[in-house]
Amino acid sequence: MRRLDQLPPVWKGIPLALCSTAMFTLVGVIVRVLSDTIDVFQILFFRQLVFITLLMPAMVRSVDILLKPKRVKLHALRILGAFIALYFGFVTVSNIPLADATAIGFTQVLFVACISRLCLSECITATRLFTIIAGFIGVMMVVQPQFQQGSLQYTGAGLLAAMGAAVAVICVRKVSQEEPRITLLGYQALFVGVMALLPSIAAWQWPSWSELGLLLCVGVLSSVAQWIGVTAYKYGEANVIANVEYGKIIYSVALGYGLFSEVPNELAILGLLVIVASAALPIVYHHLKQPKL
């Protein structure tokens, strides 16, 4: 335990981000299955309902803290960004090929890098810029997206989702230095759920037992992943942790192979190696920067 406490913050943040990313990838697969019969707003509402239920004991214990937020404007901006990211992300993954949706989602890393430089004054070194660009190139090599005619509106939705996610990430990075995790998670769970409630009622359809089980899985996995993700951004710089998001494509390829017998070609395998290298470089870089004892 003492060794873990002595680790540099980024060494704690990156593994947590990898775990969170894996869970969110699985959520995307489940949403893709559910969207054939359940409206996206309803999926989002169930996600938030499960999230609130899981958080309720902690929220009750921390009610005094929840009633006294320190950064109201940033909380509001984060909630708006999260809603945009979740809704339009679900729309994108439900209407275009999974590879294309995954590729578009990785533009979040570029948005985070730009916004963190402007709003958080985080330095984007040449090494970090290289890892961002290399990782994005690796993603394109893996997914080899084919943006078919007629899917441009969903491509735009994916870009909007990526921008919303980037805004939410930056807000988390800023607010997490002053607010406890329960405040970050509680506000997001409650208010995004409220925003999804009315449109979900308009398109409401009672799910079957199997669909209800999948909806619960979406809620539980998303809740745990978000809790871990918030912790990751508390430990590491926003544009470093966001670079780990590229690991999502590795999970996507693994799930595609295991569930849908999708075998990557030679270019995709080369892209995987590029992604692994781009994700590992920040870890090596921070390790080399540490003073030798």
Side-chain angles (χ1 to χ4, degrees):
M1 183 63 67
R2 183 173 298 177
R3 287 185 176 181
L4 291 177
D5 293 337
Q6 293 175 348
L7 286 175
V10 72
W11 279 73
K12 300 175 184 178
I14 289 177
L16 290 172
L18 285 170
C19 182
S20 175
T21 299
M23 292 182 179
F24 277 126
T25 303
L26 185 56
V27 168
V29 173
I30 299 174
V31 169
R32 181 66 176 268
V33 173
L34 282 170
S35 63
D36 290 337
T37 53
I38 304 293
D39 183 76
V40 171
F41 274 120
Q42 190 174 345
I43 297 173
L44 179 55
F45 173 71
F46 266 95
R47 176 195 187 276
Q48 299 306 111
L49 183 62
V50 173
F51 198 3
I52 293 172
T53 302
L54 294 175
L55 284 176
M56 189 57 67
M59 292 174 68
V60 171
R61 290 194 302 268
S62 307
V63 64
D64 291 339
I65 297 175
L66 292 173
L67 292 176
K68 298 177 181 178
K70 299 177 182 178
R71 306 296 294 272
V72 176
K73 292 182 179 180
L74 280 178
H75 279 300
L77 184 60
R78 187 217 170 198
I79 290 166
L80 178 60
F83 177 79
I84 291 173
L86 287 167
Y87 174 71
F88 287 103
F90 284 1
V91 168
T92 304
V93 79
S94 300
N95 289 280
I96 65 175
L98 186 59
D100 290 4
T102 302
I104 296 170
F106 282 116
T107 58
Q108 173 189 338
V109 176
L110 304 179
F111 289 129
V112 167
C114 295
I115 298 174
S116 63
R117 180 68 181 94
L118 294 174
C119 300
L120 300 183
S121 298
E122 291 185 355
C123 179
I124 303 178
T125 64
T127 301
R128 193 163 299 164
L129 182 61
F130 172 78
T131 63
I132 292 172
I133 296 174
F136 189 76
I137 292 173
V139 168
M140 294 299 108
M141 294 170 66
V142 172
V143 300
Q144 300 162 37
Q146 301 292 324
F147 298 112
Q148 301 173 356
Q149 188 174 6
S151 66
L152 289 180
Q153 59 180 329
Y154 299 118
T155 300
L159 290 172
L160 189 58
M163 185 177 295
V167 170
V169 161
I170 296 301
C171 291
V172 167
R173 176 62 177 163
K174 194 74 172 178
V175 177
S176 64
Q177 307 304 316
E178 302 179 38
E179 301 270 25
R181 276 176 294 183
I182 187 59
T183 302
L184 293 168
L185 297 174
Y187 283 3
Q188 192 267 2
L190 178 61
F191 290 107
V192 171
V194 170
M195 294 171 73
L197 176 58
L198 291 180
S200 68
I201 291 176
W204 190 268
Q205 176 179 326
W206 287 106
S208 65
W209 286 110
S210 60
E211 290 169 340
L212 182 60
L214 290 176
L215 287 168
L216 291 175
C217 285
V218 168
V220 172
L221 287 173
S222 298
S223 302
V224 176
Q226 188 160 352
W227 183 279
I228 295 173
V230 167
T231 305
Y233 278 100
K234 188 170 184 176
Y235 281 124
E237 292 182 4
N239 56 57
V240 173
I241 299 301
N243 197 52
V244 180
E245 290 285 327
Y246 285 127
K248 183 184 293 184
I249 195 60
I250 299 177
Y251 304 134
S252 298
V253 170
L255 287 172
Y257 178 78
L259 298 177
F260 309 111
S261 300
E262 298 174 351
V263 181
N265 57 26
E266 291 82 357
L267 182 60
I269 294 174
L270 180 59
L272 283 172
L273 296 177
V274 172
I275 293 168
V276 171
S278 70
L281 188 56
I283 302 176
V284 175
Y285 176 72
H286 278 271
H287 176 68
L288 294 176
K289 283 180 61 179
Q290 299 303 314
K292 303 297 183 180
L293 298 178

